[in-house]
């Protein structure tokens, strides 16, 4: 359909561009004849002005002499110009325009995206309205609860509101949680995030206190560090803010999913300070295979390779007995064991990782990996 | 599908513009009639395509199609329909599309209506116009695509700002753009004439209607913007020497100079190079304005440097068109022989002074606008050049201009009789002097410069009226018939010059004798201002369709006598989460009494409200004068006849009818 209409458009444009081929020569198209027309007009205007008494006869005469002198200077029309010699150019242009436009359109267009008038999206709006109703019901149920409402309920309400960019309402919901015994560092940092987003990125004094509390509960919570850096930067201590971020990356000692975000902020602050952008440090992958090992593995036969991988995995498992806090190590081990089909050992690895993720925010990818892994293996 | 067809139409338009930028101008050089004529069809085709694209975008706004990113970012399903439509051009991409549309429409208008223009000149002009089109269409498509899509569409749009939902704001940009971009066709005519190497009275005559049309709508656009600032922003000012205002004012100044210089070229075959240069400069200033506003340079020079893609593209376009046309000018202009000679005292000389003064004024504004930008770029220091600079530099240049403006129309072409003219104007001078003394007495002192400026405005109005009466021989029988037979352009000149005088009075009155008070009021408080007493009678809560308002009730008296009641409001829009101030104004010809309320003075002072009172004398003269300027332009535009300078003889007193 769209291509048919576009083709009709392109065709009409081509026909339009061919139009000059069919037109007839006009009688007075040359420069001199057009100019003469203007001067003749000027002469008659002088006559009329004189008749009307706007200028005296002598003034009129002087003006007429001047105009006539211009008429003499205008010269003769050039010889009749070539007729239709440029047929080829016109035809070529009528071909060029549609073809080139199609070529350009295929680069920039999105022909498969339909037009969706707002009025035709009643279903979607009803769903959205329903979600609002549910949220409203949830909220009033939690509020009417004499014991303050379940923590899980408030968390659900707050995170849903955050997803809908309703930051100040989300902040309200989080504020109900912070005085509870089960409030973790993540509760505080999420509350701070809602407060900051509600103020379009400004860290208010209240948000600052919440961040401090979050950092106090868990100094390793990256969100707390991130928002303290923003707070420092807004307070004018940009250099400290940048150092805070970079130090935290260095402390971690191994790659983590939050690092790119940290680095972007650090470099943005760095640009303002006139510092060169930095990149993530080269981390020694603590327990993974070295580059040489990978190359060695790729040259082996199928059995040899599996045996090699098993050695690697066994080595990792052994090493992890000594460093039980190495979450990424446990995750890698579990992943490798799943690939090797050793579900029991994978389950054991995930169980070892479980206490390490219990303090992480609910949407942390590592926590999700552990939880989904345990669920898959039938352990809950 | 429709947004995609709009996108396709833009691609077609770009390609058509490419063809139009080459075939006709090559045809004009080779003497190929068909190639030259192709300009007329491509120009029309291009305009239709861009109009289709613009219509497609507007359609997306009307049906709130949130698969178009531009609609998501700049509209909302709950906006009133008028502002959905106006949203089409209320953003970067849409306003550029409007820019390109007006560009194409001017090209098409020349193709269709300018039948009295030689084919070769028309072909070259339309090719030059197409060069500009290619530049801006590619800018639009490559960096600011209005038809960017999102799928699945977000639930609703993001923009529901009640402040921006204003009728004046909705129609101000299109009018301003017609003026801004309208000067493009004059630029194209100038560049075509340079390429052709020929500028003569006929050329000036062909270009005149286009200059007038652009000037008239630019005048209207600027006036409307000023009017909006005065009534809607609620700050009680109408001109702030803000960079956004300055960039529209500079093309207006240059265009005004161009309008006058082109008259000399048309009537006396001289000032040719100067007219061409002004045509180039006027459009260059329009481009500069587009660059400054559209590149984000104004928010911060550094914000521009961080995301420079758009800015650099326009800067490139700006450099190519301005430097290119100026280089062409430098190469070709010296070859243009000057035509008619004139004496130091003549209409020509008067217009020359006018041009020099306007050009200087324009340069002043340019300096004041660009200096802070350069300073910030180099030293990182942010300064703002405000009214003090412009008042100190712009006004001293314009006052002599206005004095000369009164005399100019009395001078005849070629060689004028200055003593005769001055003798004719001496009674007027006496009247102006008396009027100035009266103003001094009424104003009871006041800034001396303002009193003198008022006198100069009276001078301009008087001299213009006297010139008109003299031409019509107003006090002799048959005057009405003579008035009707006079060319409309000459009435247009009278109207526009009178308009400027009236506008001046408004500008001076409302800035020099403005009174401004802020008071904390509770029930019964009486605040005196400019001879009025304002009595605060209390606040009432009123519920509007989508807002809650606190309406203050104010009684205005003068010397104890009741004048009127005023009801300024403060509105809170709970859904949009914003507050607006609706001022109330008592408008009279003598001046506006302007009142607004802000929130309670402090939380513990319940019942105590902040009242802002402004009295602006003569401010309505501004709008009346602006309307007269626009009417003057329109009157001149409706006169298609030629004006031919009728030189006086050397000794006019001895003039006797010849033959």
């Amino acid at each position: 359909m769209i291509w048919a209409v576009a083709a009709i458009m392109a065709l009409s444009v081509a026909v339009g561009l061919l139009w000059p081929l069919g037109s007839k020569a006009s009688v007075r198209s040359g420069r001199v004849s057009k100019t003469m027309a203007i001067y003749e007009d000027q002469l008659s205007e002088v006559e009329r002005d004189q008749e009307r008494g706007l200028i005296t006869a002598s003034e009129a005469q002087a003006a007429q002499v001047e105009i006539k002198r211009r008429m003499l200077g205008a010269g003769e029309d050039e010889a009749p110009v070539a007729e239709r010699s440029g047929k080829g150019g016109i035809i070529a242009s009528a071909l060029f325009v549609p073809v080139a436009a199609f070529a350009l359109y295929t680069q920039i267009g999105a022909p498969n995206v339909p037009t969706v008038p707002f009025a035709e999206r009643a279903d979607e709006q009803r769903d959205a309205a329903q979600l609002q109703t549910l949220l409203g019901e949830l909220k009033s149920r939690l509020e009417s609860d004499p014991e303050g409402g379940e923590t899980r309920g408030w968390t659900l309400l707050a995170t849903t509101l955050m997803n809908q960019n309703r930051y100040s309402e989300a902040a309200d919901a989080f504020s109900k949680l912070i005085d509870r015994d089960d409030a973790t560092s993540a509760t505080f940092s999420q509350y701070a995030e809602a407060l900051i987003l509600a103020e379009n990125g400004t860290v208010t004094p209240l948000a600052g206190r919440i961040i401090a509390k979050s950092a106090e509960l868990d100094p390793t919570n990256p969100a707390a560090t991130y928002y303290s850096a923003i707070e420092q930067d807004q307070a004018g201590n940009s250099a400290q803010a940048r150092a805070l971020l970079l130090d935290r990356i260095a402390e971690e000692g191994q790659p983590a999913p939050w690092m790119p975000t940290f680095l972007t902020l650090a470099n943005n602050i760095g640009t303002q300070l006139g510092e060169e952008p930095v990149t993530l440090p080269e981390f020694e992958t603590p327990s993974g295979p070295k580059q040489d090992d990978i190359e060695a593995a790729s040259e082996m036969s199928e059995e040899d390779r599996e045996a090699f991988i098993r050695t690697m995995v066994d080595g990792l498992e052994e090493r992890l007995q000594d460093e039980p806090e190495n979450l990424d190590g446990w995750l890698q081990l579990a992943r490798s064991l799943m690939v090797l089909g050793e579900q029991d050992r994978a389950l054991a690895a995930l169980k070892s990782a479980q206490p390490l993720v219990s303090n992480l925010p609910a949407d942390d990818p590592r926590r999700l990996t552990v939880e989904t892994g345990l669920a898959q293996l039938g352990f809950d | 599908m429709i947004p995609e067809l709009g996108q396709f139409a833009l691609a077609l338009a770009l390609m058509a513009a490419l063809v139009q930028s080459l075939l006709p101008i090559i045809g004009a050089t080779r003497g190929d009639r068909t190639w030259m004529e192709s300009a007329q069809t491509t120009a029309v085709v291009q305009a239709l395509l861009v109009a289709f694209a613009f219509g497609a975008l507007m359609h997306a706004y009307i049906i709130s199609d949130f698969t178009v990113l531009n609609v998501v970012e700049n509209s909302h399903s709950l906006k009133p329909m008028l502002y959905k439509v106006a949203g089409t051009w209320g953003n970067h991409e849409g306003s550029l599309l409007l820019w390109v549309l007006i560009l194409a429409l001017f090209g098409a208008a020349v193709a269709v209506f300018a039948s009295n223009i030689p084919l070769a000149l028309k072909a070259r002009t339309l090719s030059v116009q197409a060069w500009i089109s290619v530049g801006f269409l590619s800018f639009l498509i490559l960096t600011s695509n209005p038809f960017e899509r999102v799928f699945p569409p977000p639930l609703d749009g993001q923009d529901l700002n009640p402040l921006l939902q204003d009728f004046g704001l909705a129609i101000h940009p299109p009018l301003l753009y017609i003026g801004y971009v309208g000067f493009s066709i004059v630029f194209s005519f100038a560049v075509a004439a340079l390429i052709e190497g020929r500028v003569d009275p006929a050329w000036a005559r062909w270009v005149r209607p286009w200059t007038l049309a652009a000037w008239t709508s630019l005048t209207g656009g600027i006036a409307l913007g000023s009017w909006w600032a005065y009534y809607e922003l609620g700050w009680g000012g109408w001109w702030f020497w803000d960079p956004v205002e300055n960039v529209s004012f500079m093309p207006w100044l240059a265009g005004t100079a161009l309008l006058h210089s082109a008259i000399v070229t048309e009537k006396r075959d001289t000032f040719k190079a100067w007219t061409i240069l002004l045509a180039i400069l006027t459009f260059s200033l329009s481009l500069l304005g587009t660059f400054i506003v559209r590149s984000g340079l104004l928010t911060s020079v550094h914000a521009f440097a961080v995301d420079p893609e758009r800015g650099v593209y326009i800067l490139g376009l700006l450099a190519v068109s301005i430097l290119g046309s100026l280089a062409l000018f430098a190469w070709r202009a010296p070859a243009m022989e000057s035509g008619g000679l004139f004496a130091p005292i003549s209409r020509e000389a008067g217009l020359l002074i006018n041009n020099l003064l306007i050009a200087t004024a324009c340069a002043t504004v340019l300096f004041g606008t660009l200096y802070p930008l350069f300073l910030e770029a180099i030293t990182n220091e942010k300064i703002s050049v405000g009214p003090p600079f412009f008042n100190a530099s712009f006004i001293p240049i314009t006052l002599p201009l206005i004095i000369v403006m009164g005399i100019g129309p009395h001078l005849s072409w070629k060689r004028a009789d200055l003593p005769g003219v001055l003798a004719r104007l001496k009674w007027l001078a006496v009247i102006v002097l008396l009027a100035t003394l009266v103003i001094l007495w009424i104003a009871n002192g006041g800034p001396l410069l303002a009193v003198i400026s008022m006198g100069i405005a009276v001078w301009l109005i008087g001299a213009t009226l006297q010139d008109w009466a003299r031409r019509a021989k107003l006090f002799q029988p048959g005057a009405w018939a003579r008035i009707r037979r006079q060319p409309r352009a000459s009435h247009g000149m009278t109207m526009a010059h009178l308009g400027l005088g009236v506008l001046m009075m408004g500008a001076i009155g409302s800035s020099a004798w403005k009174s401004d008070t802020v008071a904390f009021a509770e029930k019964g408080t009486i605040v005196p201002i400019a001879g009025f007493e304002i009595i605060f009678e209390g606040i009432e809560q009123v519920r509007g369709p989508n807002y809650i308002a606190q309406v203050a009730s104010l009684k205005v008296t003068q010397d104890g006598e009741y004048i009127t009641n005023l009801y300024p409001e403060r509105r809170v829009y709970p859904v949009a989460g914003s507050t607006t101030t609706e001022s109330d104004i008592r408008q009279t010809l003598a001046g506006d009494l302007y009142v607004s309320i802000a929130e309670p003075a402090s939380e513990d002072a319940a019942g105590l409200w902040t009242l802002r009172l402004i009295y602006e004398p003569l401010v309505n003269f501004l709008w009346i004068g602006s309307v007269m300027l626009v009417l003057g332009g329109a009157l001149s535009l409706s006169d298609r006849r030629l004006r031919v300078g009728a030189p006086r003889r050397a000794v006019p007193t001895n003039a006797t009818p010849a033959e």
Side-chain angles (χ1 to χ4, degrees), chain A residues 31 34 66 86 105 115 121, chain B residues 1 4 35 115 154 196 268:
Chain A
R31 166 144 209 143
K34 297 271 188 187
E66 196 171 305
Y105 176 75
T115 298
R121 295 165 63 195
Chain B
M1 184 177 81
E4 289 306 307
W35 281 27
S115 55
E196 224 160 58
R268 297 281 297 124

Side-chain angles (χ1 to χ4, degrees), chain A residues 247-258:
Chain A
D247 290 352
R248 180 70 180 82
I249 293 179
E251 269 168 34
E252 187 71 12
Q254 51 183 324
W258 44 264

Side-chain angles (χ1 to χ4, degrees), chain B residues 120-198:
Chain B
L121 178 66
K122 199 170 177 178
R124 288 189 170 105
T125 304
L126 288 176
S127 271
V128 177
Q129 186 80 356
W131 297 348
I132 309 171
S133 283
V134 169
F136 276 89
L137 274 170
S138 57
F139 175 63
L140 188 68
I141 293 173
L142 298 179
T143 74
S144 317
N145 191 352
F147 293 108
E148 198 81 49
R149 307 296 297 276
V150 268
F151 200 84
L155 198 61
D156 210 328
Q158 297 167 354
D159 188 22
L160 195 64
N161 186 345
L163 230 198
L164 298 182
Q165 290 177 21
D166 177 80
F167 185 68
L169 194 65
I171 60 168
H172 161 63
L175 260 183
L176 203 60
Y177 274 18
I178 294 174
Y180 243 49
V181 186
F183 281 112
S184 67
I185 197 76
V186 183
F187 170 87
S188 298
F189 268 113
V191 173
L194 283 175
I195 294 172
E196 224 160 58
R198 220 189 146 95

Side-chain angles (χ1 to χ4, degrees), chain B residues 511-598:
Chain B
S511 37
W513 288 290
K514 173 177 175 171
S515 334
D516 193 339
T517 320
V518 175
F520 303 116
E522 57 189 335
K523 199 168 157 73
T525 306
I526 300 175
V527 189
I529 183 169
F532 297 98
E533 302 89 39
I534 316 287
I535 303 152
F536 187 80
E537 295 188 318
I539 290 272
E540 207 182 328
Q541 289 270 1
V542 176
R543 192 167 271 282
N546 56 346
Y547 60 86
I548 303 160
Q550 286 153 328
V551 184
S553 174
L554 302 173
K555 193 161 95 179
V556 182
T557 61
Q558 192 167 27
D559 301 325
E561 274 185 49
Y562 172 80
I563 304 274
T564 184
N565 273 317
L566 292 173
Y567 303 99
E569 298 179 20
R570 202 170 151 266
R571 290 184 186 166
V572 179
Y573 293 80
V575 177
S578 64
T579 312
T580 63
T581 303
E582 303 288 317
S583 45
D584 199 5
I585 304 174
R586 174 181 179 257
Q587 275 181 290
T588 63
L589 211 51
D592 279 5
L593 184 62
Y594 189 110
V595 294
S596 54
I597 55 164

Side-chain angles (χ1 to χ4, degrees), chain A residues 32-43:
Chain A
V32 176
S33 44
K34 297 271 188 187
T35 308
M36 281 305 180
I38 296 281
Y39 291 152
E40 279 158 19
D41 203 22
Q42 284 190 327
L43 273 180

Side-chain angles (χ1 to χ4, degrees), chain B residues 306-320:
Chain B
V306 170
D307 181 20
E309 185 194 14
R310 288 176 175 174
V312 166
Y313 202 109
I314 311 191
L315 193 62
L317 283 179
L318 194 70
V320 169

Side-chain angles (χ1 to χ4, degrees), chain A residues 123-143:
Chain A
D123 287 355
E124 210 179 315
Q125 286 152 43
R126 205 180 46 234
D127 290 351
Q130 205 171 5
L131 179 60
Q132 296 318 316
T133 325
L134 286 175
L135 281 179
E137 280 169 9
L138 174 61
K139 190 175 176 210
S140 50
R141 208 188 66 216
L142 291 168
E143 275 171 345

